[in-house]
Amino acid sequence: MAMNIKRPNGTEDVLPKDVHKWNTVEKIARETAESFGFSEIRIPTFENTDLFLRSVGETTDVVQKEMYTVKAKETEFTLRPEGTAGTIRAMLQNGLLNEALPQKVFYMLSCFRHERPQAGRLREFHQFGLEMAGSAAPTADAEVISLAKTLLTRLGLKNIELYINSIGCPSCRTKYHEALKAYFEPHKEELCDTCKERLVKNPMRLLDCKSPICQEIAKDAPLITDYLCEECDEHFKKLQAYLTNLGIEYKVNPKIVRGLDYYTKTVFEFVTTEIGAQGTVCGGGRYDGLIEQLGGQHIPALGFAMGIERLLLVMDKQGCDYLTPKKCDIYFATMGDAALEKAMELVKDLREFGYCAEYDLMGRGIKAQMKYANKIGAAYTVVLGDNELAEGKARLKEMESGNETEILLNDKFTTNFENEYFNKVLDIMDDENGSMFAFTGEDK
Ligand code: ATP
Ligand code: MG
């Protein structure tokens, strides 16, 4: 019976032909984070549901509509919808926050949200993210934003705008919540059901609603920036001064509130208009209350997360460079059993040298082997038959130019590999003046 099982909606397969794109982003992200002194952390894929209720927030879309909660026997867990909660949980549980502050960690992980799948919006997606715990200073905000900016630049991305805002601390937010309630109250009946509830529990969440009607009503809502207390205002001004000093362009957008409840003071987004509606490639901010909320001490913290799929959409669109995928360096095309066995030996040695070396595993004829070598993009092919073996020689072909030279299968080839026989061959063959043929002195 033919298999007719398809991948679930909102998930993606990354095929071998595309995986170098992921490797590019992951490598540059890792190097950038490490150059800012961040270390990698790896956390579980699922956590106790309570962790997300207490951190992400009960009135957020993520918790109300998007969580994948799984029951196994009598226990219940939730697949992580984001990385911050699990990371902070791990830092607390493993005592990292008792060590020298700030603690700086980064991660690359899959996230799960039950959303309506569309371009740039998946049900399983991947984030590169980081968290810094310990610093209340606006320098930390500037540092984290600067890291995100550096990474986007190193990936070769252009036309990505940085929007920043401050959503204040619990003290300035009390007044702001009152103002929002007063503003939305007359429109109560027109709001979506979720927002009706938000109006009572957490009116700031109304500004994050994706429903067009709620968005239209929210258009002239009071702005948080008019309600900041002195400390938050000062913090926000200093951050802006640091960004200017670092040459990082930004726009203040008082409408950004971010989709998760734990944010305080600084929030920011990097946004592009080039990939349609899902243009936020990076979102982050400060969450000074979260660690305490999860049972730790009062330790201020901040971070961001980038959606890797969205980054790749923009990189593809803008024609950014990717790392070259690894291909076969040398393919051994063999005729006869003795030649095949010799090839197996040589390939083993070459691999020890770090080359990608392959030989026929299909029992194909020589022509078909050459065709295969071509298909997999082998840079060189060694043609080896039993006769050549007996004479201690083989033909080395550079696939792109078609140039061939005869090489000696003497002990250099096998036992004496430390003289970098093949390095020499490859170097010589790279030399445009054709000196490669000087290697055995026998041009073909
Ligand atoms: P959006 O407003 O686009 O829904 P969000 O505020 O829910 O984003 P965050 O929780 O801040 O997003 O996640 C950080 C980043 O992860 C986003 O900026 C985006 O690049 C990416 N991201 C979030 N949700 C998805 C998704 N469903 N599919 C793909 N990427 C996503
Ligand atoms: Mg979302």
Side-chain angles (χ1 to χ4, degrees), residues 254-271:
K255 292 249 163 97
I256 297 179
V257 293
R258 310 280 313 116
L260 316 175
D261 260 1
Y262 47 61
Y263 288 108
T264 50
K265 290 187 177 152
T266 311
V267 288
F268 62 91
E269 289 182 349
F270 285 88
V271 183

Side-chain angles (χ1 to χ4, degrees), residues 113 115 120-122 125 127 210 258 260 280-283 305 307 310:
R113 297 185 192 176
E115 306 200 64
R121 190 172 295 286
L122 296 155
F125 63 98
Q127 288 187 341
K210 300 271 192 301
R258 310 280 313 116
L260 316 175
T280 309
V281 292
C282 173
R310 288 192 198 173

Side-chain angles (χ1 to χ4, degrees), residues 183-308:
Y183 174 84
F184 282 108
E185 198 57 50
H187 303 282
K188 199 165 138 189
E189 294 314 313
E190 301 150 63
L191 295 171
C192 75
D193 286 346
T194 320
C195 281
K196 283 193 184 102
E197 191 189 329
R198 286 169 171 157
L199 185 56
V200 183
K201 286 191 182 164
N202 189 351
M204 217 167 73
R205 284 272 71 81
L206 274 157
L207 304 176
D208 204 40
C209 184
K210 300 271 192 301
S211 130
I213 298 171
C214 298
Q215 282 184 355
E216 179 62 30
I217 298 171
K219 231 175 50 201
D220 298 315
L223 301 175
I224 177 71
T225 34
D226 295 330
Y227 291 82
L228 294 181
C229 68
E230 212 178 303
E231 191 203 319
C232 290
D233 190 49
E234 173 90 341
H235 186 99
F236 195 38
K237 286 197 174 113
K238 278 199 171 145
L239 166 63
Q240 294 180 56
Y242 293 143
L243 291 178
T244 305
N245 187 41
L246 288 167
I248 298 173
E249 283 178 32
Y250 65 89
K251 288 191 183 127
V252 174
N253 178 353
K255 292 249 163 97
I256 297 179
V257 293
R258 310 280 313 116
L260 316 175
D261 260 1
Y262 47 61
Y263 288 108
T264 50
K265 290 187 177 152
T266 311
V267 288
F268 62 91
E269 289 182 349
F270 285 88
V271 183
T272 168
T273 51
E274 294 184 19
I275 51 167
Q278 325 305 329
T280 309
V281 292
C282 173
R286 185 170 268 288
Y287 47 87
D288 287 347
L290 180 62
I291 294 175
E292 205 171 5
Q293 214 168 301
L294 293 178
Q297 292 173 301
H298 180 75
I299 297 175
L302 69 166
F304 70 70
M306 285 187 188
I308 299 182

Side-chain angles (χ1 to χ4, degrees), residues 334-345 384-387 389-390:
T334 59
M335 281 173 287
D337 282 348
L340 181 66
E341 279 177 27
K342 184 72 178 175
M344 289 166 86
E345 267 172 49
L384 195 58
D386 288 351
N387 290 346
L389 205 58

